[in-house]
Amino acid sequence: MDFAHSPQQQQIRDAILRLCGRFGPDYWLERDESGEFPEDFYQALASDGWLGIAMPEEFGGSALGISAACVMMEAVAESGAGLSGASAVHMNIFGPHPIVKHGTPEQRRRFLPPLIEGKEKTCFGVTEPNAGLNTSAITTRAEASGSGYIVHGQKMWTSTAQEADKILLLARTTPKEKCKRAFDGISLFYTDLDRSHVEIREIPKMGRKAVDTNALFIDGLRIRAEDRIGEEGRGFYYLLDGLNPERCLVAAEAIGIGKVALKRATDYARDRTVFGRPICQNQGIQHPLADSWAKLEAARLLVYKAGWLYDSNQPCGGEANGAKYLAAE
């Protein structure tokens, strides 16, 4: 049992922190004020090959797994980029995993290289206004039409849709009442985000303004049959190969944010002098800082256990969910 980063993981961390050092606090403040997508940051990661860290080597990736991607995303967030930097790129890292696991060789050749090279961006069309986290209750429907489908429905909280070229879209191909199980009858598609049939409305929010969040209104979006991932009606089960890595990465990002916040707090406690001594000498300051450190370290262990389980092709749903919860707290 080894709790240290491997030499390779340490190299990843060091390289990411060096790259992120080119994008300091002033850069992220300006992006947060203007709402401009951090395209130069995104392209810097793409040009150095980082967007393919967990993708197969045959398509230009590094095949280092979700654990290595967690190291990368923790470092991105810890650098001061926070969620603005992390969520600008993490969809390209975890989102394609259902394609890797369940796509055809032709689909992997067609879809993965543009994402890895940073030539295309994608977004995630899953959540709906009246379904929330109950994915079995989605009502967006994909109706068979000729050699493909026509989609009608609505998606919510779809990040990067303003920038995206593609969408990983979940839709019902069989009405729920005709299915034996609640999650049957749902299909997964990876297709062009055709704005002539998808209206994208940005949702105002506090923070992370540089990465857009949107409501999508889909009216007559045509999807070719060859853009369906896997079997019709099995899409929810394929989606789990994207959701569990997402939970691991978001948890790692939360740890990175926690680490940089804790460092800034402890630095301030050392520098701030009251009544002739630094406030870090007071137990009223020491104890909550120590408590925060312990909770971060405990959550971090679960993050990397979840990543290791996923990379080992073992069930990791409980660990991935637990890691996301604890790290966010």
Side-chain angles (χ1 to χ4, degrees):
M1 189 177 294
D2 190 346
F3 292 99
H5 281 328
S6 68
Q8 183 183 61
Q9 289 172 331
Q10 189 60 49
Q11 289 172 359
I12 292 169
R13 173 178 167 79
D14 292 344
I16 291 295
L17 289 175
R18 282 195 302 272
L19 186 153
C20 290
R22 292 153 44 191
F23 303 89
D26 290 343
Y27 174 87
W28 293 110
L29 178 60
E30 193 280 327
R31 290 298 184 279
D32 200 50
E33 289 176 341
S34 70
E36 181 184 352
F37 184 81
E39 184 68 29
D40 43 356
F41 172 76
Y42 176 91
Q43 291 300 335
L45 288 168
S47 65
D48 285 357
W50 293 113
L51 297 185
I53 189 170
M55 293 291 104
E57 289 182 280
E58 62 185 300
F59 304 112
S62 302
L64 297 180
I66 289 299
S67 297
C70 285
V71 173
M72 169 186 167
M73 299 312 296
E74 180 184 327
V76 167
E78 185 183 344
S79 75
L83 275 183
S84 292
S87 57
V89 299
H90 69 192
M91 177 59 192
N92 273 43
I93 295 171
F94 77 80
H97 271 261
I99 302 171
V100 174
K101 291 289 188 75
H102 305 288
T104 65
E106 186 276 333
Q107 287 175 328
R108 292 194 289 269
R109 285 193 299 270
R110 184 156 49 101
F111 295 146
L112 297 180
L115 289 173
I116 293 168
E117 295 165 8
K119 294 178 179 178
E120 290 182 351
K121 300 183 182 72
T122 189
C123 61
F124 214 29
V126 177
T127 306
E128 296 187 5
N130 298 316
L133 296 177
N134 181 11
T135 306
S136 70
I138 66 170
T139 57
T140 294
R141 64 190 190 279
E143 300 170 345
S145 175
S147 60
Y149 301 84
I150 298 179
V151 181
H152 300 271
Q154 185 178 351
K155 297 296 180 180
M156 284 290 288
W157 310 117
T158 302
S159 294
T160 70
Q162 299 286 340
E163 303 288 330
D165 308 286
K166 298 279 189 176
I167 183 169
L168 189 68
L169 180 66
L170 203 66
R172 276 211 165 271
T173 44
T174 303
K176 186 177 180 179
E177 60 272 16
K178 295 184 178 181
C179 299
K180 291 182 178 180
R181 296 180 296 181
F183 291 103
D184 289 348
I186 298 173
S187 298
L188 187 64
F189 303 91
Y190 187 75
T191 192
D192 293 334
L193 186 56
D194 182 355
R195 285 163 172 77
S196 65
H197 292 283
V198 182
E199 181 185 353
I200 303 172
R201 298 182 192 171
E202 188 166 0
I203 301 171
K205 58 186 184 296
M206 295 177 65
R208 209 197 67 170
K209 187 178 179 182
V211 179
D212 53 273
T213 302
N214 306 274
L216 272 57
F217 300 86
I218 306 170
D219 184 14
L221 177 66
R222 292 186 176 274
I223 300 179
R224 300 178 302 171
E226 53 263 41
D227 288 351
R228 189 190 71 228
I229 306 301
E231 296 179 33
E232 184 175 283
R234 296 282 300 166
F236 173 79
Y237 306 102
Y238 303 147
L239 187 68
L240 294 177
D241 283 312
L243 293 180
N244 285 328
E246 177 199 23
R247 290 162 181 152
C248 294
L249 294 184
V250 171
E253 292 157 18
I255 295 297
I257 293 170
K259 286 170 69 176
V260 69
L262 185 61
K263 182 180 186 304
R264 292 185 182 187
T266 53
D267 288 346
Y268 178 79
R270 292 190 188 99
D271 295 340
R272 173 69 169 156
T273 299
V274 178
F275 300 118
R277 66 177 191 170
I279 63 173
C280 67
Q281 295 182 15
N282 300 321
Q283 288 186 340
I285 300 296
Q286 295 171 351
H287 289 177
L289 293 176
D291 180 68
S292 296
W293 175 85
K295 289 176 178 176
L296 277 171
E297 287 297 303
R300 189 169 181 270
L301 291 175
L302 189 53
V303 171
Y304 284 98
K305 179 180 180 181
W308 174 80
L309 286 170
Y310 183 85
D311 290 338
S312 302
N313 292 314
Q314 298 185 56
C316 66
E319 288 79 3
N321 279 285
K324 184 179 179 181
Y325 169 76
L326 290 177
E329 287 295 299

